[in-house]
Amino acid sequence: MFTSGCQFEDVPAGIYKAWTIPVVLRTEALPPYEELTMESSRITWAGDWVKIPDPKHGARQVQMSRKAGDTLTVYFRGTGIAYIAGKSEGFGQMDVILDGKVQGRVNLGLRNFPALSEVCVFQRNGLPNGQHILKLASAGTGPVDFEGLRIYR
């Protein structure tokens, strides 16, 4: 591998790594959205979620679960939704269910990469404008966190 003259060996466990950072380029603007944080009364929490400080954002906190089956549910009216979360080494996975249909499993874990916050880990646009339900469930593969939701109009 070409290292641009770097004197350090390029190994996955080394201090210097060849990181790849995905970039999303949009060709059109996203519709206006409403942001929901963990304090929203529209979110129903089930299980052993705990509030933890988020040192990257001062006094702000995030919700974290370490137990399989812990869920959060939100009813919303709009044309799309996005789940915003932190990603870090050792984090687990979250199952995403939209309008009763499994959308997949999002991985919040990272390997050999610094922790990231405010990452859009799931987004679905183009829904019929109307009432919808989103359910997120911890898969129990490690801790998962919740930083917010964006509801697109």
Side-chain angles (χ1 to χ4, degrees):
M1 172 176 229
F2 181 67
T3 60
S4 301
C6 178
Q7 65 187 15
F8 299 102
E9 186 178 354
D10 187 22
V11 294
I15 191 167
Y16 293 92
K17 302 170 182 83
W19 290 336
T20 302
I21 300 173
V23 176
V24 177
L25 300 175
R26 302 207 182 275
T27 57
E28 59 186 45
L30 289 171
Y33 64 86
E34 169 190 5
E35 190 143 3
L36 297 183
T37 63
M38 65 181 220
E39 292 87 11
S40 173
S41 62
R42 294 170 52 193
I43 300 173
T44 303
W45 304 92
D48 296 326
W49 292 88
V50 295
K51 293 179 184 179
I52 61 167
D54 184 2
K56 298 170 288 303
H57 297 96
R60 186 173 142 205
Q61 296 181 321
V62 298
Q63 289 279 78
M64 180 169 278
S65 166
R66 296 181 184 274
K67 185 177 161 198
D70 285 358
T71 63
L72 69 93
T73 305
V74 62
Y75 291 86
F76 67 96
R77 178 171 292 284
T79 62
I81 192 158
Y83 164 39
I84 311 302
K87 295 184 77 159
S88 188
E89 185 140 355
F91 273 23
Q93 298 173 332
M94 190 79 92
D95 292 324
V96 179
I97 300 105
L98 179 63
D99 293 333
K101 296 179 183 148
V102 175
Q103 302 295 301
R105 184 173 276 185
V106 293
N107 185 4
L108 303 181
L110 296 172
R111 281 191 63 219
N112 295 320
F113 205 80
L116 302 172
S117 63
E118 297 185 31
V119 178
C120 177
V121 295
F122 171 82
Q123 184 167 340
R124 186 71 68 232
N125 289 332
L127 299 172
N129 192 6
Q131 188 72 26
H132 302 280
I133 181 171
L134 176 76
K135 183 175 184 178
L136 301 174
S138 172
T141 55
V144 293
D145 93 356
F146 171 88
E147 294 184 4
L149 294 170
R150 292 183 188 138
I151 299 172
Y152 294 94
R153 302 287 174 205

